[in-house]
Amino acid sequence: MNNQIEFTNEDFEEDRYSRLRLIPWWDQEKLSNAVIMVVGAGAIGNELIKNLTLLGIGKILIYDMDLIENTNLTRSVLYRAKDVGRYKAEVAAERAREINPDVHAKAFAQNIIDDVGLGVFRRMDVVLGGLDNREARLAINQSCYKVNRPWIDGAIEALNGFARVFVPKQGACYECTMTETDWMLVNKRKSCALLTHEQMNEGKIPTTPTSSSVIAGIQVQEMLKLLHADRGLPTLAGKGYVFNGLTHDSYVVEYQKKPDCMSHDIYEEIIEKQWAAKTTSIKTALEEIKRELGQRAVIDLDRDIAIKAACPCGAEKELFTPVHRLKGDMLICPACGRQMTFESTHTFHGSEPYIDKTFDEIGVPLLHIISGRAGMNIRHYEFTADADAVFQGI
Ligand SMILES: [Zn+2]
Ligand SMILES: [Zn+2]
């Protein structure tokens, strides 16, 4: 303790990361320049964010649309009793900044399936998942592959858990690992559009702060190796670390890449456009794309947009929302109360009556990437003007 007297305050400030730097391959600058997305700020997410913050990760984007409940307090080091009722993402970001002021953390109370543009994923060094459902994992996997970014999934149940690393072009992706049961559960969830968010959260999984810290620790260690890719360290790309908390046995499984997997499509070339989802209309974007690809060009979205609902009684209703976001009550006929059917599309030709709508008005998120297609010629266009809004404040 006595030797502390020799340090000045400045020495202590310089010292913050010095024990980390003792690791021969460590480059703290890679960490301070890193941009990491954490999806889910529950049991695993708390441990992920805690680790990222201690390590001095430069920018952390935290996605979670849930509010803190009393029951979260047993597994969430970042939350206090007084935080109950606040957004998990907001409190987690606040605490991250408090633990380490070098860290720029931003909260997004958004749904990862619909609300996050591909250009956001494209700007991440690594995406970390602390999720409790397959549908969100599937969405992250598809987004990460399109823009060629790695992601690391974590899952826990009671004392057990696993961590899996998915890197495009390096072995299996998340979808390759999905079994028939997984698909059945995803489809069941998709068909549950009538259920409320709370009801969908039923069938809760028992989790502990101990298993979440083990698994999140492995995830962040894998992230560190991915950030130091030039050091040639072994990673778990295409593999999973399986942890049995009853025996404390652990092992690594290698997943088989499925040749017919639908998720391996990578957007090779992405053209940055000064378009913004809230101000650029379908018409404006399509005109520009036609100038580049020819008059036959169309716009393709990576999601289906419900355009309008119709009832046998003749009543019609505009929807303009991603099909995934449709809720049962949106399809009840306002005139007669019967169930309406809806029309949806993901392709825009230019003759649509709603062509003057902005992309935001049809449910396309900020900083998204759309595709222009003329025959076999496909180009991908990013709404780059949205980047400032997404990254504002960090
Ligand atoms: Zn796959
Ligand atoms: Zn009707």
Side-chain angles (χ1 to χ4, degrees):
M1 284 295 119
N2 279 345
N3 59 1
Q4 281 192 4
I5 293 161
E6 293 165 26
F7 290 113
T8 64
N9 272 344
E10 199 174 290
D11 287 326
F12 279 117
E13 273 179 36
E14 280 180 352
D15 206 41
R16 182 164 194 143
Y17 305 103
S18 69
R19 297 296 165 89
L20 301 172
R21 284 200 190 91
L22 292 176
I23 297 170
W25 48 264
W26 197 273
D27 181 352
Q28 188 62 37
E29 212 164 291
K30 286 188 195 296
L31 272 61
S32 60
N33 290 333
V35 188
I36 305 292
M37 180 191 288
V38 176
V39 190
I44 294 178
N46 262 254
E47 291 294 319
L48 293 171
I49 295 160
K50 177 207 78 181
N51 288 332
L52 299 179
T53 303
L54 293 173
L55 290 168
I57 291 295
K59 291 180 185 171
I60 309 173
L61 284 76
I62 303 169
Y63 287 85
D64 196 307
M65 55 193 306
D66 287 339
L67 304 175
I68 297 171
E69 296 171 26
N70 244 321
T71 54
N72 299 130
L73 299 176
T74 53
R75 287 148 299 131
S76 310
V77 68
L78 303 174
Y79 307 148
R80 313 282 174 261
K82 68 173 162 56
D83 301 323
V84 168
R86 295 186 60 200
Y87 279 108
K88 287 180 180 176
E90 268 173 25
V91 175
E94 264 174 42
R95 297 285 138 75
R97 294 188 295 258
E98 199 178 292
I99 292 169
N100 186 351
D102 294 346
V103 167
H104 300 273
K106 185 169 178 180
F108 297 85
Q110 296 179 336
N111 182 344
I112 202 71
I113 298 171
D114 298 309
D115 302 342
V116 189
L118 285 172
V120 183
F121 287 93
R122 181 175 170 235
R123 283 162 177 76
M124 298 301 124
D125 290 296
V126 181
V127 174
L128 298 172
L131 296 152
D132 61 0
N133 74 84
R134 291 165 183 80
E135 202 183 2
R137 287 189 175 98
L138 205 47
I140 293 173
N141 186 66
Q142 287 165 355
S143 298
C144 283
Y145 265 69
K146 281 177 192 140
V147 294
N148 200 9
R149 305 315 305 150
W151 81 281
I152 305 174
D153 181 37
I156 51 172
E157 180 159 11
L159 302 185
N160 310 318
F162 50 83
R164 302 183 280 197
V165 181
F166 302 109
V167 183
K169 299 179 187 170
Q170 291 184 39
C173 79
Y174 171 70
E175 196 171 323
C176 294
T177 73
M178 284 179 65
T179 61
E180 260 174 51
T181 315
D182 289 324
W183 279 113
M184 198 191 72
L185 290 166
V186 165
N187 292 330
K188 195 173 156 196
R189 228 181 124 94
K190 272 188 189 164
S191 67
C192 286
L194 293 168
L195 299 181
T196 65
H197 189 62
E198 285 71 30
Q199 285 170 318
M200 281 176 60
N201 275 349
E202 271 179 14
K204 284 175 174 146
I205 302 160
T207 60
T208 65
T210 48
S211 53
S212 65
S213 67
V214 171
I215 295 305
I218 299 288
Q219 287 177 272
V220 174
Q221 297 214 138
E222 285 299 314
M223 176 209 76
L224 287 171
K225 291 185 282 174
L226 291 176
L227 290 180
H228 290 85
D230 56 341
R231 302 293 201 269
L233 304 162
T235 71
L236 285 178
K239 297 176 188 166
Y241 166 87
V242 184
F243 173 71
N244 179 336
L246 286 177
T247 58
H248 285 163
D249 286 324
S250 66
Y251 58 94
V252 169
V253 286
E254 182 160 3
Y255 298 110
Q256 288 303 309
K257 187 174 175 174
K258 284 187 188 156
D260 57 343
C261 177
M262 300 295 283
S263 280
H264 300 170
D265 185 28
I266 295 175
Y267 292 176
E268 292 298 346
E269 195 198 354
I270 293 161
I271 299 159
E272 297 188 344
K273 287 281 180 194
Q274 285 312 307
W275 295 340
K278 290 196 170 138
T279 52
T280 304
S281 67
I282 305 171
K283 186 179 174 190
T284 306
L286 187 56
E287 278 171 0
E288 212 165 320
I289 289 170
K290 281 180 193 281
R291 276 199 292 276
E292 291 182 22
L293 294 179
Q295 283 306 307
R296 287 189 310 138
V298 296
I299 286 174
D300 273 335
L301 298 183
D302 63 347
R303 60 199 64 203
D304 284 314
I305 308 295
I307 303 297
K308 66 176 179 187
C311 181
C313 81
E316 283 193 353
K317 180 175 155 187
E318 284 194 349
L319 293 168
F320 295 111
T321 185
V323 170
H324 177 266
R325 259 193 232 159
L326 282 179
K327 293 276 173 248
D329 56 2
M330 294 163 79
L331 296 177
I332 301 296
C333 176
C336 73
R338 274 185 286 178
Q339 182 82 24
M340 303 171 91
T341 55
F342 67 92
E343 254 174 50
S344 69
T345 186
H346 58 260
T347 302
F348 303 92
H349 299 266
S351 54
E352 294 82 357
Y354 48 82
I355 206 79
D356 285 319
K357 285 201 181 290
T358 66
F359 284 87
D360 177 65
E361 285 168 335
I362 61 165
V364 171
L366 295 186
L367 198 51
H368 199 47
I369 297 171
I370 63 171
S371 306
R373 174 169 58 86
M376 296 295 282
N377 195 3
I378 297 172
R379 281 190 202 168
H380 306 290
Y381 301 91
E382 184 188 76
F383 282 64
T384 307
D386 287 331
D388 287 347
V390 174
F391 289 90
Q392 191 182 27
I394 55 171

